[in-house]
Amino acid sequence: MKLPPEQYTETPLLEIPQSIQVVPEQVIEDQQVQRLDEASRNVNCITPVGPAPRSAFDIFQIRGFDTRNIFRKGLRDDTNVTVGSVLTNVERVEVLKEPASVLYSQGSLGGTINIITEKPLSEPFYSLEGTAGSYDFYRGSLDLSGPLNESETLLYRLNASARNSESFIDFVEIDRHFVAPVLTWLISEDTKITFEPEYLDAQPRNDNGLPAVGTVLPNSMAVGYDFEHRFNEDWQVRNAFRASFQRREQVNVFPTALRPDNCTLERRVATSERTIRTDVYTLDTNLVGNFNTGSVEHELLVGFDWYRQFDNSGGDGLREIGPIDVFESEADVSTWPRKN
């Protein structure tokens, strides 16, 4: 198995002196993987942090170290952590452990998770799937791809999915809608550019392990492109850009103590009167070349990346709210402040 030239070099995994594990597309399809924590079960030394799969976040421990480094096609984007993952358009998941994570410069001690998305196909492809399960689980998805013109220089791919389900905990529901149209322009034999917008509307509960109402995290959108040019058989350059825009309203309820009767839960709530905004911009450029010095063959990979994040996170502080009976009461959120 080889890593794709647009991400790394064409060096086989067995020849790379680093710990890299890949969850391929066939495994994701066979296991009907819906979230990143489900894909991570195929990789050793990695553990989800939080009550997966009910958690609203994608945070992992890799070899004992917390990591929030979740990349898409080699581009860092922290909104992948806070809004949760959707694998509708994912081709494979790569886990680079310990020193291997420095390939992306701003890595963590434990490692890095890199998500590779599906590309447009030159042959027509159509797929429609539906799934139903326990706890009112319903999911539908479609995957369409093919050429847009006779010369096959314009290729498209459209992935979309909708999921709604409850869980074994009252009030903990999952509602996600996702769409990702992709367009590739084959400018010449050696040059191509791919445009990849994504939109996700997710409204999960921030489950603390008790039936208290949690966080609502709606509306995340990302746009980007992936440009490649091959100068000759030995040298090529890749430039990729991604911009993500996340908007969310915060209503976080935290359990503080369970009274001696073992049913009365004391709580605090953290709210925000304004919409929390997070804007992330990532630019990555690398050059890959092959050359010889005498009888010795070399493969060179050099590059740089730029990352910028703007946010106005932070709520209006914590305040006490009335306790509830965890076995009988239903939380009344009508009096909690929200943005109009």
Side-chain angles (χ1 to χ4, degrees):
M1 180 176 184
K2 292 185 177 182
L3 295 174
E6 69 268 20
Q7 291 298 318
Y8 310 97
T9 66
E10 296 185 5
T11 307
L13 283 177
L14 289 176
E15 298 179 12
I16 299 177
Q18 294 172 326
S19 181
I20 302 173
Q21 287 186 257
V22 178
V23 183
E25 182 177 18
Q26 192 62 51
V27 172
I28 293 175
E29 182 178 339
D30 291 346
Q31 297 180 354
Q32 290 293 294
V33 171
Q34 306 294 325
R35 285 188 46 135
L36 200 54
D37 60 270
E38 297 174 3
S40 70
R41 297 171 187 168
N42 299 282
V43 181
N44 61 1
C45 301
I46 178 172
T47 306
V49 177
R54 305 185 311 278
S55 175
F57 307 103
D58 277 336
I59 304 175
F60 297 86
Q61 278 194 347
I62 302 179
R63 292 191 170 174
F65 295 94
D66 284 352
T67 180
R68 295 172 178 257
N69 280 8
I70 300 178
F71 291 67
R72 293 185 83 85
K73 298 187 70 174
L75 301 179
R76 178 185 173 187
D77 187 349
D78 286 351
T79 63
N80 290 322
V81 175
T82 56
V83 79
S85 58
V86 174
L87 302 192
T88 303
N89 64 332
V90 171
E91 179 181 298
R92 66 182 182 276
V93 176
E94 304 168 348
V95 180
L96 292 77
K97 300 177 184 177
E98 293 181 345
S101 65
V102 303
L103 178 64
Y104 295 111
S105 64
Q106 302 178 52
S108 66
L109 292 174
T112 296
I113 299 172
N114 187 35
I115 296 172
I116 304 297
T117 55
E118 295 177 330
K119 305 178 185 65
L121 305 175
S122 57
E123 298 292 333
F125 174 81
Y126 311 100
S127 174
L128 180 64
E129 296 183 1
T131 308
S134 55
Y135 301 110
D136 290 329
F137 175 92
Y138 300 100
R139 180 181 182 272
S141 66
L142 62 85
D143 184 0
L144 312 176
S145 188
L148 290 175
N149 57 0
E150 292 184 1
S151 60
E152 297 184 356
T153 57
L154 287 177
L155 309 177
Y156 83 96
R157 189 153 194 164
L158 175 64
N159 282 281
S161 66
R163 172 186 175 182
N164 182 267
S165 69
E166 298 180 1
S167 74
F168 68 91
I169 297 180
D170 291 342
F171 316 121
V172 177
E173 303 168 351
I174 300 172
D175 190 9
R176 293 172 179 270
H177 299 85
F178 176 80
V179 62
V182 182
L183 178 66
T184 293
W185 178 22
L186 304 175
I187 303 172
S188 70
E189 233 179 78
D190 300 315
T191 307
K192 68 178 180 179
I193 187 169
T194 300
F195 300 95
E196 301 183 71
E198 292 181 359
Y199 176 77
L200 170 64
D201 182 6
Q203 300 186 15
R205 302 292 188 184
N206 184 12
D207 174 25
N208 288 298
L210 291 170
V213 175
T215 304
V216 178
L217 302 174
N219 299 339
S220 177
M221 184 179 70
V223 294
Y225 69 81
D226 193 330
F227 174 79
E228 299 174 38
H229 176 70
R230 184 178 292 273
F231 298 103
N232 51 47
E233 292 184 357
D234 296 322
W235 293 91
Q236 64 176 316
V237 66
R238 171 182 176 261
N239 174 260
F241 174 78
R242 180 179 174 88
S244 298
F245 310 97
Q246 185 183 92
R247 305 293 181 264
R248 63 188 188 273
E249 296 178 9
Q250 175 175 278
V251 179
N252 275 352
V253 174
F254 300 94
T256 57
L258 190 64
R259 292 180 182 176
D261 60 8
N262 288 329
C263 65
T264 304
L265 179 70
E266 297 180 358
R267 307 169 299 159
R268 288 185 176 184
V269 63
T271 60
S272 177
E273 291 285 356
R274 66 183 184 278
T275 298
I276 298 175
R277 306 164 61 98
T278 302
D279 298 336
V280 177
Y281 303 90
T282 308
L283 179 70
D284 181 71
T285 302
N286 60 61
L287 177 70
V288 179
N290 297 279
F291 62 95
N292 298 337
T293 55
S295 60
V296 181
E297 297 180 355
H298 303 277
E299 191 167 26
L300 177 68
L301 169 64
V302 295
F304 69 89
D305 66 86
W306 174 81
Y307 178 87
R308 194 71 180 270
Q309 177 173 326
F310 304 90
D311 63 65
N312 66 339
S313 59
D316 301 321
L318 289 170
R319 63 181 179 84
E320 298 286 345
I321 58 174
I324 62 170
D325 186 319
V326 297
F327 297 104
E328 297 182 3
S329 300
E330 181 172 333
D332 181 10
V333 301
S334 62
T335 60
W336 297 357
R338 289 177 178 266
K339 183 176 178 64
N340 295 325

